[in-house]
Amino acid sequence: NVMTVGAPADEAARRRRYDALRATVVATWEALQLKPELMEAVCTTYGESAAHCVFRWDRDVANMHDLVTGDRVGEDAMDAEGMVLRSLHEFRKQLAEHELHRAKAAAKNVDVHFESYFYSSLHFGLEEQEAALRDPNRLNYREM
């Protein structure tokens, strides 16, 4: 129950966190019996993760469990639909960024609130749009 970066300071809470990690590792090892070709990848990942913080342990232990078992227990685990949606979102984000820079160049505008105006005026389905809608200074550009 040794303390590491990111682990709970309370010994009992730390024990619970480590026990949960250990349970996932054990389940992964058991599943590896049916997929020995993944042993090297799992051992390498665990070995690289060992010197890092508990947050990295959580991620790597979950990712290896997902790889071996096909489950999706990790926070960043996605099914095929999620991967496609993420790729489409990234593409939309690149398109929006490209158009923003074109619009800023055409308007000869470098003001930070112009970006908020731009994102709040057009619907790209991006999180930047939500942030832009909260910027009251974006309204200054309606006069343009």
Side-chain angles (χ1 to χ4, degrees), residues 10-112:
D10 176 64
E11 189 172 334
R14 190 168 55 247
R15 171 56 46 216
R16 286 190 299 277
R17 181 90 179 258
Y18 290 172
D19 286 347
L21 281 166
R22 184 181 309 111
T24 304
V25 169
V26 168
T28 304
W29 282 115
E30 290 171 355
L32 270 172
Q33 304 313 307
L34 302 173
K35 296 184 179 180
E37 68 276 8
L38 297 175
M39 182 70 75
E40 183 177 352
V42 172
C43 289
T44 300
T45 300
Y46 285 173
E48 290 171 355
S49 183
H52 295 281
C53 66
V54 76
F55 303 110
R56 169 89 182 258
W57 297 353
D58 282 335
R59 189 192 74 202
D60 288 349
V61 166
N63 286 343
M64 290 302 97
H65 181 78
D66 294 351
L67 173 70
V68 173
T69 65
D71 291 342
R72 289 193 305 268
V73 300
E75 287 184 24
D76 55 350
M78 285 188 270
D79 56 11
E81 180 183 13
M83 288 183 230
V84 169
L85 290 174
R86 182 175 67 183
S87 294
L88 289 172
H89 182 267
E90 287 300 315
F91 182 66
R92 274 196 323 263
K93 194 171 186 171
Q94 289 173 356
L95 287 174
E97 188 77 17
H98 174 74
E99 292 305 319
L100 168 65
H101 291 294
R102 275 190 35 192
K104 283 176 84 171
K108 294 181 173 74
N109 192 315
V110 295
D111 186 75
V112 68

